[in-house]
Amino acid sequence: MNVIWRNYICCLRLGKVPHRCHSGSHPVAPLGSRILTDPAKVFEHNMWDHMQWSKEEEAAARKKVEENSAVQVIPEEQDKYESEASKYWDVFYKIHKNKFFKNRNWLLREFPEILPVDLKTKENAGELSWDHVKTNAANCCSKMIEEKDHFKKSFGSSDGQRKAGSDFSNLDSKKLGKGPLKTELFPGSRATFRILEVGCGAGNSVFPILNTLQNTPESFLYCCDFASGAVELVKSHSSYRAAQCSAFVHDVCDDGLPYPFPDGILDVILLVFVLSSIHPGRMQGVVNRLSKLLKPGGMLFFRDYGRYDNTQLRFKKGHCLSENFYVRGDGTRAYFFTKGEVHRLFCKAGLDEKQNLVDRRLQVNRKKQVKMHRVWVQGKFQKPLHPTQNNSKLVFSLLSHD
């Protein structure tokens, strides 16, 4: 099965299989091939892709949001949800364990660049261009060989030298604090392709990725969550392999908290349904910090709730924290993004936008004959090879983007 997957991914990277288009374009297969052409057949499937909203539907959604956000949670309660955010997620995972979310097997279809490719594939794929709507995985690692000496030197960074917490208590803090950071002092130091999933939860993305990486020992997966219960679920899973994966507790909102690896060494960062749970005022700081972890040419993949998603429309009065930001009954929170907001967040962090689309679908409950509009925002953002040359483009992008 893994051989089939790797061949499929290589085809995607070389443009031989239809895939999602880039910024502002209409997304296509593989996940977007079910189009509703006859409304009378709406209940024949559970999900329909690329749904275009009528003006009446959008107006109704806007009105619903105005109604459910009219009464906001009092400031004292809002402070509690912020200060005790990890507690609420810990309780969530204590109750649901790993049975609430399904495995995200779709990740490798939407983001084929998650996986490394062999040298031959990189050479072939390197001739393709982002500008020609070719989702080219080689762009996130084509400079890997040339940068090998560069990121070895970067191991001496101060962030990489600091102790990373209880999960890495076996490391000698004196060694970490003196001189260049030795490659054997942190997990994944010998890997040539490194992935970080932020907000890994119970491992619904971790294990589909790990299962695919099991025959590529040169790859390493980091995953973190600020809910310690979630991290324990990952580490206790039968498919967890410490030789190729490091799960650790980490609060991405704490700018001063070091990661268990140096800055500038990651090829891929996954930020999937995570940023929406963070207070809007802290989102930019989180994205800025994550940007520093990427190596030049590295990719950050984003997917999260979009504005007027059915989840937002279902909130009752009294659950709104601030504009488009809500708290659920269990104390966990959710923000609902626009495409423009996503663009500004990542471009302000110095990343180049390679994809930014609104994914609108119609979810159907055939038994109850209920239709629900789902809206997600999905993006791919790349760290420039030469960040200093990106300043003028950044200013123009922020001024001109809707």
Side-chain angles (χ1 to χ4, degrees):
M1 183 66 182
N2 286 326
V3 174
I4 296 173
W5 255 115
R6 288 176 66 80
N7 289 337
Y8 175 76
I9 297 302
C10 289
C11 288
L12 273 176
R13 288 166 163 165
L14 292 170
K16 294 179 180 179
V17 178
H19 56 278
R20 287 189 179 276
C21 296
H22 295 302
S23 183
S25 301
H26 187 65
V28 292
L31 286 187
S33 57
R34 183 170 289 160
I35 309 298
L36 178 63
T37 56
D38 183 357
K41 297 181 179 181
V42 65
F43 292 108
E44 288 189 3
H45 297 286
N46 294 328
M47 189 80 78
W48 298 94
D49 302 307
H50 314 312
M51 296 300 299
Q52 299 299 315
W53 287 28
S54 67
K55 291 182 179 180
E56 292 76 18
E57 287 173 324
E58 189 164 350
R62 188 180 297 109
K63 182 178 179 181
K64 183 66 177 177
V65 168
E66 290 174 356
E67 292 173 352
N68 69 20
S69 60
V71 179
Q72 294 191 355
V73 176
I74 60 174
E76 292 78 7
E77 289 292 310
Q78 293 202 34
D79 292 341
K80 182 186 72 170
Y81 292 128
E82 175 67 18
S83 62
E84 300 181 9
S86 62
K87 172 187 171 183
Y88 290 112
W89 280 107
D90 261 328
V91 171
F92 175 90
Y93 287 110
K94 184 177 180 179
I95 294 172
H96 300 288
K97 299 191 182 299
N98 61 354
K99 305 192 184 301
F100 190 84
F101 300 110
K102 296 180 180 179
N103 278 352
R104 293 168 177 162
N105 296 307
W106 52 266
L107 273 177
L108 300 179
R109 294 190 292 269
E110 289 294 283
F111 304 126
E113 305 92 335
I114 290 173
L115 302 181
V117 290
D118 57 32
L119 184 59
K120 181 178 179 181
T121 304
K122 281 189 287 184
E123 289 173 346
N124 292 335
E127 298 175 3
L128 302 177
S129 169
W130 282 107
D131 299 327
H132 291 85
V133 198
K134 305 275 190 179
T135 306
N136 181 358
N139 278 357
C140 69
C141 57
S142 62
K143 299 298 181 181
M144 186 183 302
I145 297 175
E146 294 87 341
E147 293 166 3
K148 185 176 181 181
D149 292 335
H150 171 75
F151 71 71
K152 279 186 178 178
K153 292 178 182 178
S154 73
F155 292 159
S157 66
S158 58
D159 283 340
Q161 293 173 10
R162 288 180 287 179
K163 196 166 184 289
S166 59
D167 284 324
F168 302 93
S169 58
N170 60 320
L171 300 183
D172 190 334
S173 60
K174 292 183 179 180
K175 290 182 180 179
L176 288 173
K178 292 183 179 180
L181 181 61
K182 296 181 180 180
T183 57
E184 66 268 18
L185 289 183
F186 67 92
S189 57
R190 296 184 180 181
T192 58
F193 193 87
R194 300 181 182 91
I195 306 167
L196 168 67
E197 186 193 9
V198 179
C200 62
N204 300 94
S205 299
V206 170
F207 297 112
I209 295 173
L210 263 186
N211 290 338
T212 308
L213 292 179
Q214 61 183 334
N215 294 322
T216 55
E218 70 278 6
S219 303
F220 198 88
L221 174 63
Y222 303 98
C223 56
C224 65
D225 202 289
F226 75 157
S228 58
V231 173
E232 286 305 313
L233 287 171
V234 171
K235 296 173 100 173
S236 63
H237 195 282
S238 60
S239 296
Y240 182 77
R241 301 189 305 277
Q244 202 172 18
C245 183
S246 175
F248 57 98
V249 178
H250 191 89
D251 183 357
V252 294
C253 291
D254 187 345
D255 292 340
L257 190 64
Y259 285 83
F261 48 81
D263 286 357
I265 68 163
L266 295 180
D267 296 273
V268 169
I269 294 177
L270 286 176
L271 195 60
V272 178
F273 292 101
V274 174
L275 203 59
S276 57
S277 66
I278 295 172
H279 190 285
R282 307 184 76 175
M283 290 179 184
Q284 190 65 63
V286 170
V287 176
N288 291 347
R289 181 68 186 96
L290 293 177
S291 176
K292 294 179 181 178
L293 300 177
L294 287 170
K295 64 169 58 173
M299 297 289 298
L300 187 151
F301 302 114
F302 171 86
R303 187 172 175 87
D304 221 317
Y305 296 112
R307 189 69 47 84
Y308 305 141
D309 177 65
N310 185 68
T311 306
Q312 182 178 15
L313 304 186
R314 289 177 59 187
F315 278 105
K316 306 297 182 184
K317 287 183 180 179
H319 285 263
C320 184
L321 298 167
S322 60
E323 191 174 4
N324 302 301
F325 190 43
Y326 298 80
V327 62
R328 303 181 182 93
D330 61 4
T332 62
R333 301 172 299 177
Y335 185 83
F336 298 86
F337 295 92
T338 65
K339 179 178 167 181
E341 289 172 340
V342 171
H343 172 87
R344 287 187 288 273
L345 276 170
F346 292 99
C347 288
K348 280 184 178 180
L351 302 179
D352 290 338
E353 179 183 292
K354 301 303 178 182
Q355 180 193 73
N356 186 8
L357 58 86
V358 178
D359 187 354
R360 298 180 185 270
R361 306 192 189 189
L362 184 66
Q363 188 174 356
V364 173
N365 185 320
R366 288 185 279 180
K367 183 178 181 179
K368 297 181 179 180
Q369 298 284 287
V370 174
K371 295 181 288 185
M372 298 163 284
H373 283 285
R374 304 309 311 270
V375 184
W376 299 293
V377 181
Q378 178 171 303
K380 302 180 181 183
F381 301 88
Q382 186 176 40
K383 189 168 186 175
L385 292 174
H386 305 288
T388 55
Q389 299 177 5
N390 194 47
N391 293 336
S392 59
K393 183 164 63 173
L394 169 62
V395 173
F396 176 80
S397 176
L398 294 176
L399 290 175
S400 62
H401 200 277
D402 290 335

